[in-house]
Amino acid sequence: LNCLHVPGGVGVDNKLPVADSSQDVIIITETHIADIEIGEEEKAIFAEISRVLKPNGLFLWANALPTRVWTAAIDYLGENNFEDCGTWNHTKGAVVARDEDEQRVNAYTDQLFAQYLAFKIPIVGQEC
């Protein structure tokens, strides 16, 4: 098993340094792409994955995306010869975990922010 890190990522101007149809498995996590839509950059990433993935290879993508973008990605991949072998949306569980741990997380972040004077400036107007 070989792991390949691609500095700068893969996309419109950056290709994977591997041969066509040479990879059995491609795993991508936390790409932070597609927060609004599946655009040209995302399509270039998927095209590059398609180029290097062997026939019947596995592409595993784990990312935090709005549900509508995730659905659009599944549709786009299906239209481009990727077969959906399952999805699992962790968003609901992540929100529950965040809410259940809110007091501890807030205490920790309050302690961090207390170290910086900028965070002690009063907020004027609506807090975001």
Side-chain angles (χ1 to χ4, degrees):
L1 179 64
N2 293 319
C3 180
L4 177 65
H5 172 72
V6 181
V10 175
V12 173
D13 297 321
N14 202 10
K15 304 292 183 195
L16 288 166
V18 296
D20 294 0
S21 302
S22 63
Q23 306 301 303
D24 292 303
V25 178
I26 296 178
I27 300 172
I28 298 180
T29 61
E30 293 304 319
T31 53
H32 301 288
I33 63 170
D35 59 340
I36 298 173
E37 65 181 359
I38 300 300
E40 293 309 309
E41 185 72 17
E42 292 80 19
K43 291 175 183 178
I45 292 168
F46 296 143
E48 185 62 2
I49 291 165
S50 181
R51 178 187 72 80
V52 302
L53 196 61
K54 287 182 179 178
N56 298 314
L58 176 66
F59 168 43
L60 177 63
W61 181 30
N63 205 351
L65 298 173
T67 300
R68 64 180 164 69
V69 177
W70 188 256
T71 301
I74 292 170
D75 292 344
Y76 179 81
L77 289 168
E79 294 164 3
N80 288 276
N81 301 317
F82 285 84
E83 181 181 339
D84 182 0
C85 61
T87 60
W88 191 354
N89 187 338
H90 291 278
T91 303
K92 189 181 225 178
V95 168
V96 169
R98 178 205 63 202
D99 291 346
E100 288 176 351
D101 207 19
E102 182 179 10
Q103 185 176 1
R104 185 183 68 82
V105 170
N106 287 344
Y108 177 74
T109 55
D110 288 347
Q111 180 183 7
L112 285 176
F113 293 154
Q115 299 174 50
Y116 302 98
L117 293 175
F119 290 108
K120 294 180 181 182
I121 298 171
I123 297 172
V124 177
Q126 185 175 0
E127 187 176 353
C128 60

